[in-house]
Each structure stands twice: as structure tokens, then as C-alpha cells.
Amino acid sequence: MVLRIHNREARWLWLQSQGLSETPTGPLDLPEMISRLGYVQLDTIQNVTRAHHHIMWSRNQNYREPMMDNLLATDRSVFEHFTHDASILPMEYYPMWQRQFRRLGERVAAYASFQKAVAEIDGHEIKTRIAAEGPLSTQAFDTKVEGKKQMWDRPPHKRVMDQLWYAGELATSHRQNFTKYYDLAERVIPSHHRETAHDDADQIDWLCRNALDRLAFGSLGEIQRFWGAVDARETKAWAQTARDMVAVELEAHDGQWLRALAPPDIETRLQNAPAPTARLRIINPFDPIVRDRNRLLALFGFHYRNEMFVPAAQRLWGYYVYPILERDRFVGRIEIKADRSTGHLRVTQFWPEPGARWPAARQDKLAAELARLARLIGVSDIIWECGGA
């Protein structure tokens, strides 16, 4: 018989695998947290704190903003590259990222915009300067966008530097005020990681298995999308040969049963999955627990989208809206904005989820979490510019 996973069990498994079952306190092991997640997405927007800082802090509130930068720039225990977006990954994963360097490097090199850029400044010139001068940002070069600049236009040197970065010839040395500094990969990545080679089949097997391990259960599409480093054909072929994976049926929030795969130890995971903490948490819009909107809706019945790039008049909610998680339910969403210069954390909009009661005790939990988030970024005043629950 196919193993059936009921909806509450599925939510508990997913929260545990993403490090959100436990109360976010206690000793902090940042490399272990990143490895448990698989990757941590970077984002430029500092609405309150940048996404990668918030994602880590949500799992252990002893985390502080400089810690991730130190892992990247000083400890060299992580590297930066592209999953579904720019992300931080454990350095030990580097050998399994070789095909991703090749795939993305070749893809970007085929773009007409890159072909035009490389005619103006080639990669050898850029690498020669970096070799002589040390890590450089795009600000060290002065090629310009010709004509009317569009939203996603980049100057030629930026396009060429990014292609070299996608291809693994350049690596992120460090970030300064979130500006990326590029260096030669051999000066950033330890030699034993660069020199370890695996064939494509082994890398695909590793990517799919490790995606499913972190998902706890998933469809082929969810496995494929986890890293963004395998395609649909490769994922399907892997599933047909991975004989030790377990076929399961998963109960969605609306009672439908969905087919999925699970790791070999799924029954043990089900037996050991703890009830999630009662701590209420404000979740970042780029947190992996909410990134796959279809999975989020199927498991929790929570409809969510990022609206940063949606015209204001077309937004359902707001510019930067945070889901609110309590135990194994999303009970609301909130729009907040930090003004570090004045020491304020402003609550601009608040929406209880339909059907979620907001008694005084839950409102007190939200106030406590806002106070903790304010302390993370060093502000003291929380200003409600809208009504509470």
C-alpha cells in the first residue's frame, strides 16, 4: 500500500525540515543551519533587514547581521552562486555545483546582450585586472549602457563579469554594503573543493536526493525547483532509477490526495516529527518555507505572492508583506518598514487571515516578535500606523 501522509503530519514534517519547528533560541551553529536549509537566498531589498539575515534570525534569534558576511569573506565556509536566485551555499557543496557553472555559463554566454558586451570588454581583460589588483566590484570599471536605459540593462563590464561568475571562473570574494566584489575562483575556493570532480550523473543524483531530503516529501516539480540546477527531463529520469525513494500520497489542506516521493526514512521522520513551537514568527517573503507558492497553498491553504514589482494599484496586499506563522498555521500577514535613522519600526498594514481568531494573547505574541525584530536591527520604537487585530 502507498504510504499516506495526512495534512497535519505533512505540515509538521515540512516545518521541521526547514528548521521552524523549534523555538528559535539556544546555541547558534550557523553553518549547520545553512546546510540544513541547503541554501539561503540573497536579496538586495533592506525593508527591515535583508532576506538572508531575516531567514537565519527566524530560526535562531541569536543570529546577528554581520555573521553571514563573515562566513563568506573570512571563514570561506560558504560560497555564493545561483540556485533559483543568488544564494549562499555550504562550501562542501562546491564539487556538486560544477555542472551548474557549466550550464549557466554557457546559457549566459549565448545571450545577444553578452555577445554585444564582450565585443567591448572581454573576460581576459577583467580577469587580468582582478589578478593584479585583487577583488573588484563593478564600480571599478567604466563601460556604459548606450542609448535609453531600461530597467534590467547592465553596462558591458557587468554582463561579462556576471558571465564569468556564472561559469565559476570568478567567485564572490565578499560583499561590502551588499556590493559584490569579484575575485578569481582559485583565490576564493579551497583547492580540494575545486579539484574534486564528479560526473553529471552523480551530481544529478546528489542534487535530487538532497532536495528531497530537505523537502521531506515532494513532487518531481518541487524536487526540480528546489535548487534550480536540474531540468524536468533529468529529474524524471532520476526518479525512475532511484529505487530507494518511497512513493507517498499527501493530503492537501482541502482534503485532496496528491502523489509525491519521500526519502527512504520517511516513516521514521513521521514518528519523530515534533509539534511546532507555539512561538509566533514573522516570516520573510523570501524564506524557503513560502518560496514555492503552490506547495504553500497545498499544505497550508495560504495564498501569498511577492508584490514588490507589482504596480501599486494592482497589489492585493502591499509592497513588502510578511506572513505570520504560529505553530503550523499562517494566521495573518503584516506590512512593516524600518527607519534605522530615526530608530522606528513602523507597522503600516495588518491583515488577520480569514478564519483566524486574534485574541489578546495572540496580539501580545505579535507585539513581542515585533520587539525582538526591532532589537535585531537596533531600533527601539514600534509605531502602529494602522489598527491591530
Side-chain angles (χ1 to χ4, degrees):
M1 292 181 63
V2 173
L3 177 65
R4 285 195 152 193
I5 302 176
H6 292 277
N7 183 246
R8 170 167 282 189
E9 295 175 314
R11 284 184 274 120
W12 287 17
L13 278 173
W14 178 221
L15 290 167
Q16 181 192 32
S17 70
Q18 288 296 296
L20 289 171
S21 283
E22 302 91 347
T23 302
T25 56
L28 173 63
D29 186 340
L30 187 55
E32 189 278 332
M33 287 170 61
I34 298 171
S35 180
R36 182 175 181 179
L37 291 173
Y39 66 87
V40 181
Q41 182 177 341
L42 300 171
D43 192 71
T44 59
I45 301 172
Q46 183 168 272
N47 188 66
V48 174
T49 184
R50 288 196 169 94
H52 48 289
H53 297 315
H54 192 173
I55 291 166
M56 294 291 94
W57 179 83
S58 291
R59 287 152 178 82
N60 190 309
Q61 294 181 351
N62 290 315
Y63 176 85
R64 293 297 179 265
E65 290 179 342
M67 293 179 179
M68 186 74 78
D69 293 334
N70 289 337
L71 284 187
L72 178 68
T74 305
D75 296 352
R76 299 295 194 210
S77 58
V78 296
F79 71 100
E80 180 185 326
H81 207 254
F82 206 84
T83 55
H84 67 288
D85 210 323
S87 299
I88 294 293
L89 299 109
M91 186 64 79
E92 60 267 26
Y93 295 1
Y94 192 88
M96 293 302 182
W97 218 248
Q98 296 297 329
R99 69 186 305 272
Q100 182 76 329
F101 296 137
R102 185 179 72 248
R103 291 169 76 244
L104 295 182
E106 291 174 354
R107 182 185 305 168
V108 175
Y111 293 160
S113 57
F114 172 79
Q115 297 295 329
K116 183 179 178 181
V118 80
E120 185 170 338
I121 181 170
D122 64 25
H124 178 73
E125 179 182 346
I126 289 172
K127 290 172 69 175
T128 297
R129 276 197 60 186
I130 291 174
E133 300 175 38
L136 296 176
S137 74
T138 59
Q139 297 168 6
F141 299 84
D142 58 5
T143 65
K144 306 294 184 184
V145 174
E146 295 181 0
K148 184 180 179 181
K149 187 174 180 180
Q150 304 298 319
M151 181 176 181
W152 298 110
D153 275 345
R154 298 291 183 267
H157 65 268
K158 170 64 172 170
R159 292 194 181 278
V160 177
M161 292 175 85
D162 280 346
Q163 191 278 332
L164 293 170
W165 180 82
Y166 283 121
E169 296 182 49
L170 296 181
T172 304
S173 165
H174 62 284
R175 283 181 177 266
Q176 186 173 320
N177 297 325
F178 208 68
T179 298
K180 183 193 296 187
Y181 281 75
Y182 301 76
D183 201 352
L184 304 178
E186 56 265 33
R187 296 203 299 216
V188 175
I189 309 300
S191 60
H192 63 282
H193 289 309
R194 287 186 290 105
E195 295 165 4
T196 300
H198 299 277
D199 63 26
D200 270 21
D202 286 343
Q203 291 180 59
I204 292 169
D205 182 67
W206 185 93
L207 289 163
C208 290
R209 287 179 181 274
N210 277 271
L212 189 56
D213 179 58
R214 285 157 182 80
L215 290 165
F217 49 83
S219 67
L220 296 186
E222 289 170 339
I223 294 169
Q224 176 196 345
R225 291 191 296 271
F226 183 85
W227 304 107
V230 292
D231 62 30
R233 178 186 56 81
E234 291 166 337
T235 307
K236 183 177 180 180
W238 169 81
Q240 291 171 342
T241 58
R243 304 297 183 189
D244 54 339
M245 297 299 109
V246 179
V248 300
E249 288 185 351
L250 180 75
E251 185 185 22
H253 79 97
D254 60 2
Q256 291 188 65
W257 289 92
L258 310 173
R259 293 182 179 180
L261 288 179
D265 64 346
I266 183 61
E267 294 191 54
T268 301
R269 295 187 187 211
L270 283 167
Q271 292 170 4
N272 296 335
T277 176
R279 173 77 71 94
L280 182 145
R281 274 178 273 195
I282 297 169
I283 300 296
N284 190 271
F286 295 97
D287 195 291
I289 200 72
V290 299
R291 180 176 78 84
D292 191 322
R293 307 290 188 249
N294 293 333
R295 185 178 175 94
L296 178 66
L297 183 61
L299 290 180
F300 297 93
F302 187 69
H303 180 270
Y304 181 75
R305 68 176 187 173
N306 284 342
E307 298 183 307
M308 295 86 168
F309 303 111
V310 176
Q314 298 175 24
R315 291 174 187 153
L316 295 176
W317 308 102
Y319 171 73
Y320 206 96
V321 175
Y322 298 79
I324 301 172
L325 175 69
E326 185 186 37
R327 300 186 189 272
D328 62 355
R329 299 284 183 185
F330 287 92
V331 295
R333 56 194 89 201
I334 191 168
E335 186 176 48
I336 52 181
K337 172 69 177 177
D339 187 341
R340 298 189 186 210
S341 63
T342 61
H344 295 153
L345 183 66
R346 296 165 35 231
V347 181
T348 56
Q349 297 190 81
F350 170 74
W351 305 267
E353 194 66 4
R357 295 175 58 250
W358 272 83
R362 180 170 281 166
Q363 189 72 17
D364 289 345
K365 284 185 180 183
L366 177 58
E369 186 73 349
L370 286 167
R372 288 187 287 263
L373 187 56
R375 286 197 294 273
L376 169 70
I377 62 171
V379 303
S380 54
D381 295 331
I382 300 168
I383 300 174
W384 281 79
E385 297 178 352
C386 61

